[in-house]
Amino acid sequence: MKALVTGGAGFIGSHLVDRLMEEGHEVRVLDNLSAGSVENIRRWLENERFEFIKGDMADFETVKKAIEGVDVVSHLAANPEVRISSQSPEKLYESNVTITYNLLEAMRNSDVEYLVFTSSSTVYGEASVIPTPEDYGPMEPISVYGGAKLAAEALISGYAHIFGFRAISFRLANIIGARSNHGVIYDFINKLRRNPDELEILGDGTQRKSYLHVSDTVEGMLHIFEHFRREGKTYDVYNLGNDDWITVKEIAEIVSEEMGLKPEFRFTGGVDGGRGWKGDVKFMLLDVSKAKSTGWKPKLNSYEAVRRTVRELLEG
């Protein structure tokens, strides 16, 4: 297949690009490099099956050009930082909703057959059912980030049903691994490099969430996409995460141990009952039984994924 990966120079996107290239597909990347890096895809730049377009999806003509001749679009371009929900809601709207609308408008008069979208567990908000299944409702995001992802999902579903392409959304748990440049593990490592004796931990440390290594994420996306293609649905949604979860304090302990340090933990206390920031979902565990029913399952649990990620980031 010929694939377009938006945000393909970013964290998850570049790992997806690696797999697609290794499997022999033609791959085009569209990325404005606001969150990604050319270094993540440098190994492919001279490959005849690979094309890189530096461009912003806010520009419709750029998007229109990027989808020419492709069979499938994997749409990963987004602002990945949940924490800016309260400071810059307009940025999250533009980088999650507006660019998705531009992509869909370009696709509706094209020959693109499939759209793969990376959504987020944040669409569920503070779910009363844990583990949370795909059919949970009502959806009530508690951050602008979660709201923007849910809005993008709704647009994709509407366009797919009206304009004759097929689409799948993956609601991702916390995805971690090499090349990540934000998130709790990345923050902890940088804080301890600055001050090995003390580690500031946002919130009360009891926040508990599911973490999935990026290698398991990409494997899951590709495996389930093939299942989706065979199944014949116009639109479908899958959770991608782990069966277990881990607290922020436990992550701090693993990071400290891997760095050979014994810092004093200083908890900020957080907001709204110990959250790290306003809009932070304190407890998140996805029901991944639907994904596992296709034959996929993660190789690393949350604890193993965290430890491997710490080692990868320290080596990188």
Side-chain angles (χ1 to χ4, degrees):
M1 290 195 305
K2 184 162 187 177
L4 169 67
V5 181
T6 73
F11 164 43
I12 303 173
S14 64
H15 285 278
L16 177 60
V17 167
D18 286 349
R19 275 295 302 273
L20 291 172
M21 288 297 293
E22 287 161 4
E23 291 181 2
H25 300 289
E26 291 182 59
V27 179
R28 179 182 294 154
V29 164
L30 174 60
D31 201 308
N32 65 3
L33 302 180
S34 60
S37 169
V38 173
E39 289 306 312
N40 290 340
I41 53 172
R42 186 168 297 282
R43 62 185 285 206
W44 305 116
L45 291 179
E46 303 302 319
N47 193 296
E48 62 182 12
R49 289 186 289 105
F50 183 79
E51 180 185 0
F52 173 56
I53 299 174
K54 183 182 178 185
D56 197 320
M57 292 184 70
D59 179 68
F60 180 72
E61 291 304 316
T62 298
V63 178
K64 198 173 173 183
K65 178 186 173 187
I67 68 166
E68 287 178 5
V70 305
D71 306 302
V72 56
V73 176
S74 291
H75 180 35
L76 288 83
N79 188 318
E81 189 51 77
V82 182
R83 277 183 279 185
I84 70 167
S85 285
S86 56
Q87 295 90 6
S88 303
E90 72 285 354
K91 284 184 182 177
L92 287 172
Y93 186 85
E94 290 166 7
S95 60
N96 288 283
V97 183
T98 303
I99 66 171
T100 302
Y101 170 74
N102 281 349
L103 174 61
L104 292 168
E105 274 292 284
M107 282 180 60
R108 74 181 173 104
N109 292 314
S110 76
D111 294 323
V112 178
E113 294 181 67
Y114 301 99
L115 174 60
V116 177
F117 176 58
T118 48
S119 187
S120 165
S121 63
T122 57
V123 299
Y124 295 115
E126 292 276 60
S128 58
V129 177
I130 295 179
T132 310
E134 289 87 350
D135 59 1
Y136 173 82
M139 303 288 224
E140 193 176 329
I142 63 169
S143 65
V144 177
Y145 177 87
K149 283 292 190 182
L150 186 55
E153 277 191 32
L155 279 174
I156 290 167
S157 176
Y159 268 73
H161 282 93
I162 293 295
F163 297 112
F165 59 87
R166 298 170 61 197
I168 182 171
S169 292
F170 290 105
R171 292 175 182 156
L172 304 180
N174 288 23
I175 310 304
I176 54 177
R179 303 178 196 161
S180 58
N181 58 8
H182 74 285
V184 65
I185 299 172
Y186 179 86
D187 289 347
F188 282 171
I189 289 173
N190 287 332
K191 285 178 179 179
L192 286 172
R193 280 174 170 162
R194 289 193 297 267
N195 181 3
D197 299 319
E198 181 182 87
L199 178 60
E200 178 195 64
I201 300 174
L202 301 181
D204 62 10
T206 66
Q207 306 99 302
R208 185 182 290 273
K209 302 179 187 184
S210 176
Y211 287 77
L212 187 67
H213 193 268
V214 68
S215 58
D216 282 325
T217 307
V218 169
E219 179 66 35
M221 288 174 65
L222 293 175
H223 177 88
I224 295 166
F225 174 67
E226 286 304 318
H227 175 82
F228 169 73
R229 286 179 71 190
R230 293 190 302 270
E231 201 174 36
K233 288 185 179 179
T234 298
Y235 179 74
D236 211 348
V237 178
Y238 283 84
N239 288 336
L240 269 188
N242 246 309
D243 286 315
D244 67 335
W245 48 357
I246 184 172
T247 67
V248 171
K249 182 173 182 289
E250 288 171 322
I251 293 173
E253 289 167 351
I254 291 172
V255 173
S256 301
E257 182 185 325
E258 288 294 328
M259 293 181 73
L261 302 173
K262 293 185 177 178
E264 179 183 342
F265 292 165
R266 181 169 61 81
F267 300 96
T268 65
V271 298
D272 297 340
R275 305 170 197 275
W277 56 88
K278 196 165 184 62
D280 178 28
V281 176
K282 193 171 183 186
F283 302 110
M284 181 273 291
L285 181 64
L286 299 177
D287 181 341
V288 293
S289 56
K290 183 177 176 182
K292 289 169 72 175
S293 73
T294 69
W296 168 84
K297 67 177 181 179
K299 294 181 174 68
L300 303 175
N301 65 28
S302 292
Y303 289 84
E304 292 165 338
V306 167
R307 193 171 293 278
R308 176 167 160 182
T309 298
V310 175
R311 292 175 181 174
E312 288 172 338
L313 294 182
L314 290 174
E315 289 168 5

